[in-house]
């Protein structure tokens, strides 16, 4: 399929490669990963799954001491390596207090917001006594009883986990083995529509992990050797700001976060596009890299947008702040309703993969 693309004053006709097979794979892998609970601090199962999936594709993958996964995607120039970063940790909660009525008051993990978490099903992962189900509800959640229901500000103090167990006191809950510091996982509610939309909590950033798996499969199937050493780092503490600190393979000169692209008022990106971020709350990304990524999008026929994100930070900024001397950039499939019940589209995933194939290979 040939398309016309314009950058600056140049218009060119591009023949797009067919990536349907790899987009299908991305959606399948993303769906599997979304259904593995992995709030920040509780990522061991998800990281093990990610490691195994890269290994099944024939690539060497190792766990970092922190719990992330480093993948060697091969490549020629070992002194000019490119590191792609995505994260598999998500938002979630932690038991802060067991209340006198046996219900749980939470503290958030990452930017979980009680306003859009209300009425969600949860799993409470205890340290030693298994997993219990419950629901995150407003305190006194019955509308026919609570006259202040509409006016109550939702917060971690005004909401609670109602356990699906016969508990009526703090002592009843403690007998189950539930204690302060236990992890609370919110149901992702994954759904892929016939029209190609992908809806779920925690597309940020498990969709990008799926995209990097798609890139790995493309490298394997096409027997491509990247022109420069290529690595992936699947981090596990991005949502609290230090996921990308450390674990940069020797010889890397550039790092790119593959994270969600912002969709919302004042921005141009849609869920069907790949977003290239020029600046976020941490400052500008490398202008050289933004230009190169934009050119790669044009050359590959990827549908893209360049935007500035007002309230955003990325793994690659943590990588720079930890003292690494790297050029940096940020791309991602467009995601709407970030940190809530998020929505993207298979076209956004495909356009992100298309840009990466052009840029990294």
């Amino acid at each position: 399929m040939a398309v016309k693309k314009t950058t600056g004053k140049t218009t060119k006709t591009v023949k797009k490669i067919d990536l349907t097979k790899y987009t299908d794979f991305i959606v399948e892998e993303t769906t599997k990963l979304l259904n593995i609970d992995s709030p920040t601090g509780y990522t061991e199962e998800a990281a093990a799954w990610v490691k195994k999936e890269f290994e099944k594709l024939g690539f060497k993958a190792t766990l970092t001491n922190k719990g992330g996964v480093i993948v060697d995607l091969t490549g020629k120039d070992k002194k000019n390596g490119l590191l792609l970063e995505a994260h598999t940790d998500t938002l979630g909660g932690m038991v802060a207090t067991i209340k006198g009525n046996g219900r749980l008051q939470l503290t958030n993990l990452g930017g979980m917001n009680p306003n859009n978490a209300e009425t969600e099903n949860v799993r409470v992962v205890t340290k030693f006594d298994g997993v219990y189900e419950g629901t995150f509800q407003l305190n006194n959640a019955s509308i026919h009883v609570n006259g202040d229901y509409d006016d109550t500000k939702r917060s971690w103090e005004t909401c609670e986990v109602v356990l699906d167990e016969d508990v009526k006191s703090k002592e009843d809950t403690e007998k189950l083995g539930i204690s302060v510091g236990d992890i609370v996982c919110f149901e992702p509610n994954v759904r892929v529509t016939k029209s190609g939309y992908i809806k779920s909590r925690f597309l940020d950033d498990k969709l990008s992990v799926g995209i990097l798996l798609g890139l790995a499969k493309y490298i394997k199937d096409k027997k491509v050797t990247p022109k420069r050493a290529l690595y992936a780092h699947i981090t596990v503490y991005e949502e609290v700001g230090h996921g990308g600190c450390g674990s940069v393979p020797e010889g890397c000169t550039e790092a790119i976060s593959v994270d969600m692209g912002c969709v919302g008022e004042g921005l141009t990106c849609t869920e069907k596009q790949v977003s290239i971020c020029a600046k976020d709350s941490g400052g500008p990304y490398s202008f050289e890299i933004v230009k190169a990524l934009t050119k790669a999008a044009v050359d590959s026929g990827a549908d893209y947008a360049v935007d500035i994100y007002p309230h955003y930070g990325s793994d690659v900024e943590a990588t720079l702040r930890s003292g690494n001397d790297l050029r940096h950039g940020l791309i991602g499939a467009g995601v709407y309703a970030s940190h809530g019940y998020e929505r993207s589209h298979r076209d956004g995933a495909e356009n992100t993969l298309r840009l990466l194939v052009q840029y990294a290979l």
Side-chain angles (χ1 to χ4, degrees):
M1 175 178 161
V3 296
K4 285 189 176 181
K5 280 290 182 178
T6 302
T7 178
K9 296 182 179 179
T10 304
T11 301
K12 63 190 297 184
T13 300
V14 177
K15 186 175 181 180
K16 295 170 65 174
I17 58 176
D18 184 2
L19 293 174
T20 304
K21 168 184 175 181
Y22 300 98
T23 306
D24 291 342
F25 178 75
I26 288 168
V27 174
E28 291 168 5
E29 293 294 279
T30 299
T31 299
K32 293 174 187 174
L33 182 55
L34 284 165
N35 282 303
I36 301 174
D37 291 329
S38 58
T40 296
Y42 180 72
T43 55
E44 184 176 355
E45 183 181 356
W49 182 88
V50 168
K51 179 176 181 289
K52 181 180 178 182
E53 293 303 298
F54 276 108
E55 290 172 338
K56 282 165 61 176
L57 292 168
F59 297 98
K60 181 182 178 181
T62 57
L63 289 173
T64 69
N65 289 329
K66 190 185 286 190
V69 182
I70 297 286
V71 187
D72 185 347
L73 295 171
T74 73
K76 297 176 183 177
D77 189 349
K78 303 299 183 183
K79 295 182 179 180
N80 187 29
L82 170 60
L83 176 64
L84 303 175
E85 298 180 303
H87 66 93
T88 194
D89 65 307
T90 70
L91 312 179
M94 178 179 283
V95 177
T97 303
I98 301 175
K99 301 167 70 171
N101 61 4
R103 298 175 181 180
L104 309 177
Q105 183 175 314
L106 305 185
T107 183
N108 59 310
L109 295 176
M112 195 80 197
N113 191 313
N115 288 283
N116 57 43
E118 185 182 358
T119 75
E120 189 60 85
N121 289 308
V122 302
R123 286 173 286 278
V124 181
V125 182
T126 70
K127 301 176 190 67
F128 305 108
D129 293 283
V131 179
Y132 294 93
E133 294 190 27
T135 313
F136 187 68
Q137 298 275 27
L138 180 69
N139 298 345
N140 193 18
S142 298
I143 291 178
H144 293 88
V145 176
N146 184 355
D148 296 322
Y149 185 95
D150 290 342
D151 298 325
T152 302
K153 178 178 174 60
R154 272 56 174 173
S155 70
W156 296 108
E157 289 71 35
T158 62
C159 295
E160 62 189 4
V161 170
V162 181
L163 291 166
D164 295 329
E165 301 290 334
D166 188 15
V167 294
K168 298 180 177 63
S169 67
K170 179 180 179 181
E171 292 73 24
D172 288 342
T173 298
E174 289 176 334
K175 287 178 183 177
L176 297 175
I178 295 173
S179 61
V180 170
D182 288 345
I183 299 292
V184 179
C185 308
F186 288 74
E187 178 65 39
N189 291 311
V190 187
R191 183 172 181 182
V192 180
T193 72
K194 291 181 180 179
S195 55
Y197 284 97
I198 309 164
K199 303 192 294 184
S200 180
R201 293 187 185 275
F202 317 133
L203 290 178
D204 172 17
D205 187 31
K206 292 184 174 183
L207 178 56
S208 295
V209 178
I211 290 168
L212 293 188
L213 282 164
L215 179 65
K217 181 172 176 58
Y218 183 92
I219 292 170
K220 175 193 175 185
D221 289 354
K222 303 297 182 181
K223 297 181 172 59
V224 176
T225 300
K227 52 186 176 286
R228 44 197 300 213
L230 183 62
Y231 305 94
H233 183 189
I234 310 304
T235 73
V236 291
Y237 283 99
E238 192 275 348
E239 294 294 358
V240 290
H242 62 85
C245 293
S247 301
V248 175
E250 185 177 355
C252 285
T253 60
E254 181 182 336
I256 293 176
S257 275
V258 186
D259 207 327
M260 53 150 277
C262 291
V263 175
E265 291 184 6
L267 303 184
T268 59
C269 187
T270 72
E271 295 106 311
K272 293 188 175 185
Q273 294 177 300
V274 55
S275 178
I276 301 169
C277 182
K279 175 183 179 291
D280 65 13
S281 64
Y285 287 84
S286 167
F287 189 62
E288 175 187 353
I289 301 303
V290 172
K291 286 196 299 180
L293 289 167
T294 303
K295 184 177 185 303
V298 172
D299 289 346
S300 66
D303 191 3
Y304 75 97
V306 179
D307 273 317
I308 293 171
Y309 305 163
H311 310 289
Y312 196 107
S314 73
D315 261 330
V316 72
E317 288 169 318
T319 304
L320 265 64
R321 290 192 181 103
S322 62
N324 292 285
D325 182 17
L326 298 164
R327 300 181 298 276
H328 71 314
L330 167 63
I331 64 172
V335 173
Y336 182 65
S338 57
H339 281 198
Y341 188 57
E342 298 167 338
R343 189 180 82 158
S344 190
H345 193 278
R346 59 177 286 124
D347 289 356
E350 182 169 307
N351 281 307
T352 306
L353 176 62
R354 191 174 299 282
L355 189 160
L356 285 170
V357 167
Q358 179 71 30
Y359 187 82
L361 306 185

